[in-house]
Amino acid sequence: MDTTTGGLLERETLARAGPLIGLCTVALTAAFVGVIGLASGATGGVVGRLPLYVLASAVAFVATLLAAEDRRGGGVTTLIRAGVVGAVGFVLLGLGTEGVIYAVTNPDAVVASHLFVYLLSAAIIASGLGYWAVQNRGLVRALIRGSRI
């Protein structure tokens, strides 16, 4: 593996992106397992935990508003960004928590069936695509607008 400047995988890039992609992969895998758990009806007590998920998303929303307040774009861009963080936080926290509960209460359904390996693979791909999309957001915007590249 080439770790020199201009190499395919530089140490700085790996040090910065590796933990982020790892964290996103874990969160997405838990969320995917949560979808399976909710769809199967095996995660009882969801309604009792829902207020905590709403509270966590509200905290993420306000924290993002405060963190992005002084950055460029301001105004509507900051509000949209905070709304997206709040919504994504709600979904990932809610589904991720339900996924952990489902995996702990039904380990055979998750591990023995190899379902976990498929969901982990999907999460790794989604994390990599997400990282690429953030790094190439200009290209992604052009693709969304239907512009020629």
Side-chain angles (χ1 to χ4, degrees), residues 10-106:
E10 295 182 16
R11 283 190 180 133
E12 181 180 311
T13 302
L14 288 174
R16 182 183 37 149
L20 177 64
I21 291 176
L23 181 65
C24 289
T25 298
V26 169
L28 285 172
T29 303
F32 292 162
V33 173
V35 169
I36 302 297
L38 288 173
S40 69
T43 56
V46 176
V47 175
R49 291 183 293 273
L50 187 60
L52 297 174
Y53 303 152
V54 173
L55 176 63
S57 68
V59 169
F61 174 81
V62 172
T64 304
L65 278 178
L66 295 174
E69 183 177 39
D70 293 332
R71 294 196 180 167
R72 313 179 292 193
V76 174
T77 303
T78 299
L79 190 59
I80 291 170
R81 204 172 275 152
V84 168
V85 168
V88 169
F90 174 78
V91 170
L92 281 179
L93 180 68
L95 290 177
T97 302
E98 297 306 314
V100 169
I101 291 169
Y102 180 66
V104 167
T105 57
N106 300 295

Side-chain angles (χ1 to χ4, degrees), residues 104-128:
V104 167
T105 57
N106 300 295
D108 290 340
V110 177
V111 179
S113 68
H114 302 289
L115 174 66
F116 178 75
V117 176
Y118 294 117
L119 296 178
L120 178 62
S121 300
I124 290 170
I125 291 169
S127 296

